[in-house]
Every structure is written in C-alpha cells, then in structure tokens.
Amino acid sequence: MEKILVTGGCGQIGSELVSALRGKFGNENVILTDINVPNYEVQEIGPWEILDVTSYESIKAIIKKFEPTRIFHMAAILSATGEKIPQTAFKINLLGTFNVLEIAREFGVRQVIVPSTIAAFGPETPKINTPNETVMRPNTMYGITKVSIELLGEYYAKNYKIDFRSLRYPGIISSDVKPGGGTTDYANALYFDAAAKKKSIVFVNPQTTLPFMFMPDALDSIIQLSEAPQENLVHRSFNVAAFSCTALEIAESVKKYVPNFQFDFVPDHRDKIAASWPQSIDDSVARKEWNWRHKYDLDGMTRGMLKNLNVISG
Ligand SMILES: NC(=O)c1ccc[n+]([C@@H]2O[C@H](COP(=O)([O-])OP(=O)(O)OC[C@H]3O[C@@H](n4cnc5c(N)ncnc54)[C@H](O)[C@@H]3O)[C@@H](O)[C@H]2O)c1
C-alpha cells in the first residue's frame, strides 16, 4: 500500500495535488503538510501536519509517524518572491530539498518527486523549443536553486537508489488557490480579475511570450511521471509543455468570453525575469519516455478557468 506525503500541500499546485492523490489512493493514505494550516474543510478530509521543510528534525518526526513510501515535495518560494528574499528562497528551496532527500535516504522512502521549472533555464538558453538538455545558467535565486535541486536529486538517485523524478513546469494556471509569487501570476490574475469584474493590470509586456499549462494537465503530468515504469526512463528531469502564448493573447482569450473585460499593460521588474526564460519548450523526451500528452490549449484553458470561476456556464 502506498503512503504519500505532500509538502507545500496548501499551495497552488500542492492543494489540488493532495485532492487528486486522495482520489486515487484514499484520503487516509495522503498526508498533507505545509508551514501554513490548511482551511477547516480540508482538515476534515484526511491527515495533515504543520511542517517546515527547513527543519530536518520536524521532517524526520513526520516521516517516522507516517512512514511514507513516496514524497511529493511541493514546498518552495517562487521566482518573483525569491528575488525579494533570496536568502530565504535558498534555505527553503535548496536546503529544504536536501533535508527531504537526506531523510528519504535515512528512512528508505522509495520515491521523491520535486517539480522543477522553466526558470531553471536562463538568458543564454535557446528560447524557442528549448530542448531537455541545454545550457542551464539561470540568473534568479529561484532558478539557481531549481538547477541545483535537479542535480542533487540525480546524485541521490545514482548514489543512494532513491527514485528521484522532476518535471520542469511552465506557468501553471488554476482557479482554486491563487498563485504564490511567481512571474507567471499575471496570467492567473487575468482570469481572477475578469471574474471579479475588475480591470486587470498586467505586469509584463503585451508581447511577452511564455509556455503555460492548465492545472488538470499539471496534475496529470506529475502523477503520470511518478507512475512511469522505471525501465522506460532514461532521464530524471523532464521538460513538460502544453502551449505558449503572449500576455496579450491570454487577455484576448478572456475577452472573447467576457466582452466588457478591461486590461492594461504596465511592465515591471518581473517582465525582465520572464524575458530570461524560454518562450516555448520541447518536451519530446517526456512524450517518448513516459507518454506525456497535454489535453488543454489556450482556449480550452480559458473556458475551463471561466467555468470554474462561475463566469460562464456549461
Ligand atoms: N505555480 C507555477 O506556475 C509553477 C511553475 C513551475 C514550477 N512550480 C513548482 O511547483 C511547486 C509548487 O508550486 P506552487 O505554485 O504550488 O507554489 P505556492 O507558492 O503556491 O505553494 C508553495 C507552498 O509551500 C509552502 N511553504 C513555504 N515555505 C515552506 C516551508 N519552509 N516549509 C513547508 N512549506 C512551505 C507555502 O505555505 C505554500 O503553501 C514548487 O516547487 C514550484 O517551484 C510552480
């Protein structure tokens, strides 16, 4: 029987991942942990614990209590917040992951899944159809910690036989929990602002182009990767993609369904971070090794978001 521990389980992806994993493995077999307390309804559904991943002893106590077979390590500080508090981002992202891997080694946790990101690439990386293997010289603390995490995980896999797997997410768009300080937050905000009948001020250039993915695809990809037969995997860190678009294309996609939606572009320092990232991603390695297929394009995502936010019906 699998027992799964999720760190960062109150976050944008972690919260929906916990629900998806509980649907698959049973509420009792998925332990939600986070430095924050989950809301009351979530507390009622299944086991949860307060956990700060920078504390080795706290992780150890929870691993001893629940004896998980797999960890989905989602706790992190994202790109934009990471540039405000780089020292904290280093501790939570890199030392937090080191703690998780060390405890997995000590207590024989079979598998550790840690999302990476397109922010692991940098200004010298080819920006169009960025390959799985290429130059990785990011210039944000977030990106630096994520490249290091990929390498650290691969080291633990090679030397300690921990089944480490990682996927480089693009910007993830979802409606349940607002995003936590990333550079792609403007895209989520366009939908939330449309739902709140508010003018959206977009903090990047209209032509800023990035890869994106709708949450159902983000959940499918991480669960599929975790379940892929080991013998099919040559790599441990994978590009994953769905579609790429400009900020203006997202705004126009919303406006197609909400004709009176107003938006404006006021680029700030986050546009520079976006400019250092790939515009499109080649994920053929993931498609070949674990059969990754996305389901949502921009229009499908817009309809899904606006339905979830009760802006359109159907
Ligand atoms: N959301 C995206 O667009 C995106 C894109 C690429 C990669 N990722 C990666 O996916 C993972 C999850 O991202 P997310 O969007 O859910 O982030 P988020 O900011 O929404 O959630 C992170 C969670 O970690 C928790 N946390 C922070 N410090 C902690 C600590 N010291 N100990 C324990 N928990 C702590 C926070 O309370 C929060 O609930 C991260 O590794 C992130 O780098 C996200």
Side-chain angles (χ1 to χ4, degrees):
M1 174 58 80
E2 294 280 0
K3 271 246 179 246
I4 299 175
L5 185 120
V6 179
T7 71
C10 293
Q12 185 198 1
I13 304 176
S15 58
E16 296 205 38
L17 178 64
V18 165
S19 303
L21 291 170
R22 283 182 170 164
K24 199 170 163 61
F25 295 99
N27 291 346
E28 287 310 306
N29 296 317
V30 179
I31 303 104
L32 182 163
T33 70
D34 200 285
I35 201 165
N36 288 320
V37 181
N39 66 39
Y40 183 71
E41 300 81 66
V42 174
Q43 290 179 24
E44 296 291 289
I45 297 172
W48 65 276
E49 297 277 341
I50 294 289
L51 173 63
D52 178 352
V53 296
T54 63
S55 163
Y56 185 88
E57 290 306 321
S58 310
I59 309 177
K60 194 164 157 175
I62 287 175
I63 297 286
K64 277 179 150 176
K65 181 171 170 188
F66 292 101
E67 300 184 336
T69 52
R70 296 195 218 179
I71 301 176
F72 284 74
H73 177 43
M74 311 302 283
I77 297 293
L78 272 63
S79 54
T81 306
E83 289 310 280
K84 285 192 205 142
I85 47 167
Q87 293 77 9
T88 307
F90 178 86
K91 282 192 196 127
I92 294 175
N93 295 6
L94 196 47
L95 295 184
T97 305
F98 173 72
N99 286 341
V100 167
L101 287 167
E102 260 302 286
I103 286 163
R105 177 183 71 79
E106 200 180 332
F107 290 90
V109 179
R110 182 174 64 77
Q111 187 184 67
V112 177
I113 306 278
V114 189
S116 186
T117 158
I118 56 165
F121 300 112
E124 295 143 53
T125 304
K127 286 206 184 324
I128 310 292
N129 278 332
T130 303
N132 211 74
E133 263 74 50
T134 183
V135 182
M136 296 183 85
R137 295 182 55 78
N139 59 7
T140 60
M141 180 56 88
Y142 178 62
I144 291 165
T145 62
K146 289 293 185 174
V147 176
S148 310
I149 287 166
E150 289 185 19
L151 297 173
L152 194 62
E154 287 170 24
Y155 182 91
Y156 273 72
K158 181 164 152 261
N159 292 293
Y160 303 121
K161 306 281 173 256
I162 289 175
D163 184 8
F164 169 86
R165 302 178 185 192
S166 179
L167 74 183
R168 299 181 189 125
Y169 273 141
I172 305 300
I173 310 297
S174 68
S175 51
D176 277 17
V177 171
K178 288 198 175 169
T183 299
T184 52
D185 287 9
Y186 66 86
N188 282 282
L190 281 162
Y191 295 99
F192 284 103
D193 290 343
K197 298 185 168 45
K198 203 176 115 188
K199 181 173 177 177
S200 207
I201 305 298
V202 184
F203 59 70
V204 297
N205 221 284
Q207 294 311 322
T208 293
T209 304
L210 288 173
F212 287 98
M213 186 182 279
F214 191 27
M215 183 62 88
D217 279 337
L219 299 177
D220 281 354
S221 62
I222 197 166
I223 294 172
Q224 267 176 36
L225 171 61
S226 116
E227 308 220 314
Q230 178 71 64
E231 60 273 20
N232 295 353
L233 302 185
V234 178
H235 298 78
R236 293 201 168 269
S237 302
F238 295 89
N239 286 357
V240 283
F243 59 89
S244 288
C245 55
T246 65
L248 181 61
E249 282 167 337
I250 304 176
E252 284 173 343
S253 166
V254 177
K255 203 171 169 69
K256 187 170 139 192
Y257 296 94
V258 187
N260 54 2
F261 179 49
Q262 300 287 310
F263 52 86
D264 201 358
F265 295 87
V266 184
D268 66 18
H269 61 282
R270 289 169 285 190
D271 195 39
K272 289 198 181 65
I273 300 179
S276 74
W277 292 354
Q279 296 184 357
S280 60
I281 292 288
D282 173 358
D283 63 356
S284 52
V285 171
R287 287 175 193 264
K288 182 168 169 222
E289 290 184 26
W290 46 279
N291 205 24
W292 162 239
R293 302 281 180 275
H294 71 279
K295 294 194 185 78
Y296 289 88
D297 60 8
L298 173 58
D299 189 60
M301 180 179 84
T302 295
R303 279 186 278 118
M305 282 295 286
L306 295 177
K307 272 184 212 162
N308 293 350
L309 294 167
N310 298 317
V311 178
I312 59 173
S313 55

